[in-house]
Every structure is written in C-alpha cells, then in structure tokens.
Amino acid sequence: MAGCATSGPLGKADKKFQRGEYQSAIQLYQDALKSNKEVGQANFKIAESYRLTNRLKDAQPFYEAALGKGVKSEEAYFYNGLALKAVGRTDDANAAFGDYIEKGGRKFADRAQQEVESLKTAKTMMAAGPRYEVRNLDQVNTDKSEYSAGMRAGELFFASGRDGAVYPANGEFFTDFYTVKFDDAATMMGGAPAKLANEAVNIPQQNEGSATFSQDGTMMIFARGNDGSKKGALSVDLYQSRYENGGWSAPTMMTISVPNADDFAPALSPDGQTLYFASSRRGGAGGNDIWRSTSAGNGRWGAPEAVSEVNTAGNENFPAVAPDGTLYFSSDTHAGYGGLDVFSLKNGKVMNEGAALNSPADDFAPYFTGPGMGVVSSNRDGGKGSDDLYMFKRMPRKTVTFYADGTLMSKPEKGADLTPRPVANSKVRIEKGGRPMGETMTDGSGKFSFKVDSAQTYHIVAEKDGFFTASQNLTVPAPAPQDQLSQQQNDVRLPVSLTMVEIVKDRAIVLENILYDYNKADIRPDAALELDKLVTVLQENPKISVELSSHTDSRGKDAYNMKLSSDRAKSAVNYIISKGIAAARITSKGYGETRPVMKDAKTEEEFQKNRRTEFKVTKIAQ
C-alpha cells in the first residue's frame, strides 16, 4: 500500500493541516475539489481533518470519495472502516476492514482484525434490550457543544462552546466551564446556566473541559487545551486549582502531564486517592489510553501507570468512577455500537453498557450523580446539536428464574390395572456433569421442583425398589432479552415427566431400531445409539442382571438363522461390555426363528417384528 504525497495546488491547505487548523484546511481542500485539482488527495485530507477533530461521521463520505479517486494509503482503507462503523453501516465497515486485511495492510493489521471480531460481537449485542433510560438535558443544551459534566456543591459543572472566539481546529467556539443548580434528585431546578466567573480558570481562546473535584469540593482538576496555534499543537494538559476565600486559585499545570502528548479527561475516585485520566503518551497500548496515578498527599501525585485491563490499540477516553468504585470509560475499539461507547470494568472484564446509554454516535464522559444514574455526553442523532448532555438512569434489571417442575409416576407391568400412578413422598435427585446438585421429595401428587440455572444441562433421576430407575436430561435455555420480558420477576417452568416401570423377571423388553446389515452381525452406528440406552439402564440399576437376545424371521434355514442370531446377540453384548458394564451382569442368547411374535408372518412389516433384539431381567441382587 502506497502512502499519500501532497503536491503544489494543495500547499496552502497542507500548511493549515500541519498546524492543526483543520477547519480552515477543510475549506481550502474543498476549494481544490471545486477546481478539480488533486481530487483524491483533497478528499482524503478533508476526511483526515474531520477525523482529527472527532467528527468521524462527517469524514466518512470523503474517505469513500478518496478511495474512489485512487487514493491507496493504509490510513484511507482503515479509517474508512472506522467511519462506516461510526455512521452505523456495520456490514460495510466489516467489508472495509476485511478489504484492508486482504490488501496486506500492516500498520493497523491487529486493530483491523480486532474490529472484525468486535463487529461480530456487536451484532449479538444489538439484539439485547436497553439497560438505561436516557433523556436530553433540554435546560442545559444548545446547538453548540456541551460535554463532560461534573458536580460540586449542588451545581453541575460542564464544558460548553456556546460563545466566544472560534477554535481553528474544528470551527466551533472554544469551550469554557459553565454551572447550573441541581436538586437532590439530580434533576434541574431551573434557571439558565452561568459561565464560571473565574478568569484564571476560563481563559479566552483556550479550551477548558472535564472538571473533577475532591469530595469536599476544595480541589479541582481539569484539562486545558491549546489555542490552535502551531506552538500549542500538542499541549492538552492537566491543571489543578484550589477553592480558597470564595474562589478558585490560579491553576497550575500538574507534574504528571508530559510534553508532546495530550493528557485530558481527569476523574478522581470517590476516596480521592486515585486519579484516572486519558493520555496519548508513550507506554500505552496505542491511540489514547486510560492511565492512573495515586495521591502522594499535599496535591502531589505519583508516577502514572497505564490501566492495561482496558487499553487497546484504539482510543480509550473519558474515565469515570462510580460510587461503588467501578471504573467506566469510553472506547472506539472494544465491541460496541459505533463511535465511542461507554464501557465498565467489572471483575476484570470489560463490559459494554448497552443500548440507550450507547448509540452509533460518540457516547462518552459518564458522570455518576448516584448509584446507576448520572450525566453522559453524546453527539447522537436527535440532540440539539454537536455534543449534548443526557441524563441516564439504569433500569431495574428484569430477572428470570428457571424451575424444573416434574411429576413422578410408576407403571406396573403386571396385574389387572396397568394405569400409571403418582409416587408420593419419594426421593428425586438432580445432577450436573455427574455431580449431585440437590435432592427433594415428591408431594402427595408425585410433584417435585428444582431451581435450575440458565444455559445448563441437568440429569434428573428417581429410584424405587422393584422399578427401573427413571431419568431425564434437561437443558435449560438462556434467558430471553430484557425487552422481551413481561414482568420484573419472570418464572419459567420447564416440565419434567418421570415414569418408573416395574421390573418383572424374565419379561422381554424389545430394544427398538437395533438393525444389522444383511447377513452381518456388526454393530451399526444407529444400533449403537439404541444399545447405549440399555447401557444407561444397567448403569442406573446396578442390582439387575440381564439376558440380551436376538431373533430372526422364518425366512432362511433354521441352523443359519440360529447362528446369525447368536452372533448378533454376542456382538451387542460385547459392545455393552466395552462401555464399562461388568461381563457377569449380561449374557447373550440367539433364538433364531424359534420365538416369533407373529407366528404366521406374511408381510414385510410382520417379518420385521420378528427380527428383533430384546433384553430381560434374569436376576435382581438383594
């Protein structure tokens, strides 16, 4: 894959691009498109300008146009896939990443493969219902950018670019801190948001955002960006300020910030001892990563370390810590719905927080005002414009409980009345993987019940003297998606029917479907399946011994039929012994055509009934 080289007609635009003045560069590249000059390169640089200012959705058609005009850079192929994902075209995104891999791309090879796997997971994930209720904060949002909320002393702090000078990177206003009162339920009390009245914190023509506060509200850590000039091209840094004498002190840059890298989105843990932040510094997994630093007291912080459990070759941004200490963050690489999604780290596993909180757009910077509730930032469709603030509240999770509900019956094999009868006050046990998981007693109607786990297979067994053991396998399904559950608590009853048959010595029991190839005694695969059922009977009834017999129809010579039936019976017995049944418990006998069940067989169906394999109990140990 060849790289992209720029040339003369785009020189002025390229200078703006190199200085980070992306919005101005976009206009100059668009002028080049109008004049039909270096169309492929101009489209590519417009796409890159949008991407580098976090407007990947806007970049997508320009990546596509660049590829259509012959641009063959690795960046164009790979970032087109990301842009397609950001606009919700997941199938096209998957094809784009596959195309990148097929063309031998190396620079983003690992990440492209990860994106392919993530998109597979995302398809399954998208079928699940929402876990949160989300609503736009209409009282705060404007058609400009509002993002990264935090709370202090009953006030919501957030960054907004609603007025002031224009930031040359993205053409929007520089962002400053604004505040608005919230009540105890984290809903608006009314009144227009006010800009934080502190010129030491809000500096004209610089971006301020993502404030985090100590529990007592006396310390604020926030990010301050560059002014769009060449000198400040990579100067997003963390600053610290203290609330003294009714106002905020002049902020000082934190020593944990490093030159030539962006350090932003700080978030303090509830105890104030750990500071999480995002950074593009070296030593991470790639792109932006989540880092943490431990307090050394007196406003000092220890050397940061990367949070390796969450970082990927893509971008992990905007960490947050819930009241219970759970770490949340946003990522564009873990399996998600597109753009940045909100994830959590629970029990060492990264979990997507699901639909509603996440969308195909960028969803980021969650802040928790209480357990399972807070404010998140998003540029999703349906907002007022650019980034908006949204309230979120975790919906109570609907629960599903599975039960194995059964009836135990017994069936006599002799006597005048052969009607099955319920077995009262009898033990029934449940096993999983050969291990006992529980035991219960049937009630007066032979009913029993076990609570079982979803997506597991169980073996339910009932035993009674004088009867064959009755058993049944039960596979419990996975719970239905949340949006398909009708109640908060959903009980699913899975029927189990166990019928114990009386053991009668010397009474023949036909083994169905024990078939042999013509003139052969070998055990066929279909016969083996049926013989396995007898193996199970012998395993579950260790006190019985049996005779296995084989019978032929009346066609053919008597001596030949006798030998063939004897060979077949021996072959079946040898198979059963090979499965671990003691040889002393089973004998074989060939009866040839001497014991027909249809004495004057004439049709093929009648002959088939005579060609049978049976077993009978010959002994019951005491």
Side-chain angles (χ1 to χ4, degrees):
M1 288 180 160
C4 289
T6 58
S7 56
L10 305 184
K12 189 175 180 181
D14 288 342
K15 287 180 180 179
K16 292 287 187 182
F17 183 91
Q18 291 163 6
R19 290 174 59 183
E21 297 179 21
Y22 298 114
Q23 193 62 33
S24 298
I26 288 171
Q27 186 59 56
L28 292 171
Y29 289 127
Q30 286 177 332
D31 290 342
L33 289 179
K34 293 175 185 176
S35 61
N36 205 30
K37 294 178 180 178
E38 301 193 39
V39 174
Q41 291 296 325
N43 275 300
F44 176 69
K45 284 300 186 69
I46 291 172
E48 286 287 87
S49 297
Y50 279 125
R51 178 183 69 83
L52 292 167
T53 51
N54 300 316
R55 293 177 285 176
L56 201 52
K57 289 197 295 184
D58 294 329
Q60 192 279 319
F62 295 98
Y63 281 125
E64 204 160 50
L67 291 170
K69 292 297 182 180
V71 172
K72 298 186 180 300
S73 73
E74 290 201 38
E75 286 81 359
Y77 282 106
F78 177 73
Y79 288 129
N80 182 50
L82 287 186
L84 287 165
K85 177 182 171 185
V87 298
R89 292 168 56 183
T90 54
D91 289 341
D92 291 338
N94 190 58
F97 292 126
D99 192 34
Y100 172 85
I101 294 168
E102 185 178 332
K103 284 179 166 52
R106 296 182 179 181
K107 186 174 182 179
F108 308 102
D110 290 343
R111 190 176 174 195
Q113 188 59 52
Q114 186 174 6
E115 289 289 348
V116 170
E117 297 303 317
S118 294
L119 285 169
K120 290 179 184 177
T121 305
K123 279 193 173 182
T124 302
M125 191 172 61
M126 287 176 184
R131 297 170 57 189
Y132 291 86
E133 296 173 351
V134 178
R135 65 177 178 86
N136 189 285
L137 269 176
D138 292 319
Q139 304 94 322
V140 169
N141 294 319
T142 67
D143 60 352
K144 304 300 189 294
S145 180
E146 286 80 31
Y147 69 98
S148 287
M151 287 283 291
R152 177 188 177 273
E155 288 189 322
L156 185 76
F157 270 63
F158 62 96
S160 178
R162 57 186 61 191
D163 59 33
V166 172
Y167 181 42
N170 60 13
E172 298 184 6
F173 295 134
F174 285 96
T175 59
D176 289 320
F177 286 122
Y178 288 75
T179 65
V180 65
K181 290 285 187 182
F182 266 51
D183 66 12
D184 291 340
T187 56
M188 299 301 300
M189 291 182 67
K195 182 181 285 191
L196 181 65
N198 189 312
E199 293 183 357
V201 173
N202 282 331
I203 296 179
Q205 298 190 28
Q206 285 194 256
N207 288 307
E208 287 83 29
S210 303
T212 184
F213 300 91
S214 60
Q215 282 281 46
D216 61 7
T218 61
M219 181 180 68
M220 172 172 62
I221 298 174
F222 66 96
R224 174 174 288 161
N226 60 73
D227 61 5
S229 68
K230 182 177 180 181
K231 182 179 179 181
L234 282 176
S235 59
V236 182
D237 296 298
L238 299 179
Y239 288 79
Q240 190 168 263
S241 177
R242 290 200 168 274
Y243 195 76
E244 301 171 337
N245 301 318
W248 291 103
S249 66
T252 57
M253 186 187 297
M254 298 180 69
T255 58
I256 59 174
S257 280
V258 296
N260 300 320
D262 290 336
D263 299 307
F264 61 101
L268 283 165
S269 61
D271 62 7
Q273 295 303 299
T274 304
L275 175 68
Y276 294 88
F277 62 97
S279 180
S280 62
R281 66 183 62 199
R282 293 181 178 179
N288 298 327
D289 290 308
I290 305 299
W291 294 72
R292 63 182 160 219
S293 176
T294 302
S295 174
N298 297 322
R300 295 176 295 110
W301 295 90
E305 62 175 359
V307 185
S308 59
E309 303 97 314
V310 306
N311 293 328
T312 69
N315 294 302
E316 281 68 49
N317 301 329
F318 298 100
V321 187
D324 65 0
T326 300
L327 175 65
Y328 290 77
F329 62 97
S330 293
S331 173
D332 62 6
T333 308
H334 290 288
Y337 296 82
L340 290 171
D341 272 6
V342 177
F343 296 82
S344 60
L345 180 65
K346 296 176 180 176
N347 300 318
K349 185 177 181 181
V350 171
M351 305 286 291
N352 188 293
E353 286 301 297
L357 187 62
N358 291 316
S359 71
D362 287 331
D363 307 287
F364 60 99
Y367 175 79
F368 289 85
T369 58
M373 62 188 301
V375 183
V376 69
S377 306
S378 178
N379 62 359
R380 66 185 63 190
D381 292 339
K384 288 194 173 182
S386 191
D387 297 324
D388 276 353
L389 297 177
Y390 290 79
M391 289 293 300
F392 67 84
K393 183 178 182 181
R394 186 180 295 125
M395 295 187 292
R397 191 149 183 87
K398 296 176 183 177
T399 59
V400 180
T401 304
F402 290 95
Y403 296 90
D405 285 354
T407 303
L408 177 61
M409 307 290 286
S410 66
K411 180 183 177 183
E413 281 294 295
K414 59 183 179 180
D417 185 2
L418 302 182
T419 304
R421 297 176 176 84
V423 181
N425 304 315
S426 184
K427 288 182 181 179
V428 180
R429 71 176 183 273
I430 186 168
E431 302 172 348
K432 185 172 71 173
R435 295 182 295 108
M437 302 300 293
E439 188 175 88
T440 190
M441 299 292 290
T442 60
D443 64 13
S445 301
K447 304 290 186 183
F448 64 89
S449 182
F450 292 103
K451 185 177 178 180
V452 291
D453 295 330
S454 63
Q456 301 291 324
T457 297
Y458 294 89
H459 189 60
I460 301 171
V461 183
E463 297 173 328
K464 184 178 181 181
D465 286 345
F467 288 80
F468 288 108
T469 296
S471 67
Q472 180 178 324
N473 286 332
L474 175 69
T475 298
V476 184
Q482 288 281 302
D483 58 348
Q484 295 180 21
L485 300 175
S486 58
Q487 307 294 328
Q488 195 63 41
Q489 168 60 43
N490 301 269
D491 292 345
V492 179
R493 304 282 175 174
L494 304 172
V496 176
S497 181
L498 298 179
T499 300
M500 297 186 295
V501 177
E502 185 180 7
I503 299 174
V504 180
K505 288 178 63 176
D506 297 324
R507 183 183 182 89
I509 300 172
V510 176
L511 290 170
E512 302 292 346
N513 302 316
I514 303 295
L515 304 177
Y516 297 87
D517 290 330
Y518 177 71
N519 203 27
K520 291 184 179 180
D522 298 333
I523 301 300
R524 295 177 5 176
D526 53 352
L529 292 174
E530 296 300 317
L531 290 174
D532 285 339
K533 296 177 182 178
L534 179 55
V535 172
T536 299
V537 170
L538 292 167
Q539 289 171 336
E540 292 182 343
N541 299 270
K543 292 183 179 181
I544 68 171
S545 298
V546 300
E547 176 192 275
L548 191 143
S549 58
S550 180
H551 304 260
T552 68
D553 59 36
S554 59
R555 294 175 293 186
K557 294 183 178 181
D558 294 352
Y560 175 81
N561 284 340
M562 186 66 72
K563 182 178 185 306
L564 179 61
S565 64
S566 179
D567 289 344
R568 286 176 171 176
K570 289 178 183 178
S571 180
V573 166
N574 288 336
Y575 174 85
I576 291 170
I577 291 172
S578 75
K579 295 295 182 178
I581 300 301
R585 294 182 59 200
I586 183 167
T587 57
S588 65
K589 180 72 174 178
Y591 288 95
E593 59 185 79
T594 62
R595 294 187 178 185
V597 292
M598 301 292 293
K599 291 186 178 180
D600 297 313
K602 294 182 175 58
T603 66
E604 181 58 35
E605 182 180 357
E606 291 172 339
F607 285 126
Q608 177 63 54
K609 288 182 179 180
N610 286 334
R611 296 194 304 270
R612 68 197 185 278
T613 300
E614 300 173 340
F615 79 91
K616 63 183 179 182
V617 176
T618 57
K619 181 180 179 182
I620 304 174
Q622 299 301 316

